Amino acid sequence: MYIKTRRKLGASLWNFDKEKAVEVVLYIFNSLYDKNKGSDMSYIRILKLIYLADKTHLEDYGRTISADSYLALDNGMVPEKIFFMLKSPEQNSDFGIVYSNIIALRPANTNHLSESDINVLKRTIALYESLPNWHLYQLSRDGVWSKTIADNTDTADMVDLIDEVDIPEGYLMEYLLDNTHPVSTDGNIIKDDLNVNKNNSSSELPPEDNLY
């Protein structure tokens, strides 16, 4: 039986791509706006949806969408670098913030997103789009948030995010801990994502190059 490790992995395992992060924000905004025409478009709502999508993508494909680290706020976890990016919209010409609401200035360029990125973003939006913000706050005050607060730190360790998702027998955890150079999202558009087989906990670990 796999015993969860408390060895620390650090705040991020993948290379953060700001250009891709912008497209993720624009994709979620435009998807919500097209359906709801002017409903709540607060940047904190976008952040919560990214966090929830990242958890799902990690569970299903072995990596997150945003490749971000995660910050523990009073209202739950948010992707850290995207949070500060949205807090300083004057540094970005693709969107603006008005009274905490995000305004997208163009459609998303989905060429920066993989097929699995788009699939999980669509599923996440469909699942959570009707929930009020307070409910999203509750969902993001999860085990990762509790452990980060208990560790008296602002940024989550990736070991806690991996512990949180449903990957059998430490499949992903053991792979990451056994590799000196963790997998990167470089080139994730041209290579398939790993689809973790939850029904076969004895599956052989894949080579790093397939974890995209």
Side-chain angles (χ1 to χ4, degrees), residues 23 27 106-115 117-118 121 189:
E23 303 308 328
Y27 184 90
R106 64 170 176 83
N109 180 355
T110 55
N111 289 331
H112 291 275
L113 305 176
S114 71
E115 182 178 347
D117 292 337
I118 294 173
L121 287 171
I189 306 308

Side-chain angles (χ1 to χ4, degrees), residues 2-172:
Y2 173 68
I3 300 175
K4 291 183 178 179
T5 180
R6 297 309 306 150
R7 174 178 171 182
K8 296 299 185 182
L9 292 176
S12 182
L13 294 174
W14 301 279
N15 296 330
F16 179 74
D17 182 342
K18 183 177 179 180
E19 189 174 3
K20 179 181 178 181
V22 168
E23 303 308 328
V24 172
V25 170
L26 293 175
Y27 184 90
I28 294 176
F29 173 89
N30 285 301
S31 297
L32 291 173
Y33 187 83
D34 288 344
K35 292 181 179 181
N36 301 299
K37 298 296 182 187
S39 62
D40 182 5
M41 296 295 174
S42 63
Y43 72 87
I44 199 71
R45 185 174 187 81
I46 303 292
L47 292 168
K48 297 301 182 183
L49 291 173
I50 294 173
Y51 176 66
L52 294 169
D54 274 350
K55 287 176 64 177
T56 299
H57 201 282
L58 176 63
E59 181 174 326
D60 289 351
Y61 298 101
R63 67 163 174 84
T64 62
I65 296 173
S66 72
D68 208 343
S69 50
Y70 302 97
L71 188 65
L73 302 180
D74 289 343
N75 59 28
M77 303 304 297
V78 296
E80 183 176 24
K81 296 179 182 67
I82 299 177
F83 170 73
F84 288 110
M85 182 176 73
L86 295 181
K87 290 280 284 185
S88 303
E90 66 276 0
Q91 299 178 15
N92 198 299
S93 60
D94 300 304
F95 53 78
I97 303 289
V98 178
Y99 298 115
S100 297
N101 286 329
I102 187 170
I103 299 175
L105 302 179
R106 64 170 176 83
N109 180 355
T110 55
N111 289 331
H112 291 275
L113 305 176
S114 71
E115 182 178 347
S116 67
D117 292 337
I118 294 173
N119 176 269
V120 170
L121 287 171
K122 284 181 177 179
R123 286 161 50 197
T124 302
I125 291 166
L127 187 60
Y128 299 116
E129 63 180 338
S130 63
L131 297 183
N133 281 350
W134 65 264
H135 200 158
L136 295 179
Y137 297 167
Q138 285 188 335
L139 290 172
S140 65
R141 295 181 73 173
D142 54 8
V144 181
W145 182 83
S146 298
K147 291 173 184 176
T148 305
I149 297 298
D151 287 343
N152 196 29
T153 185
D154 294 328
T155 306
D157 193 282
M158 283 300 298
V159 70
D160 295 326
L161 188 70
I162 293 169
D163 277 354
E164 179 81 4
V165 299
D166 183 22
I167 298 176
E169 300 298 321
Y171 184 81
L172 178 62

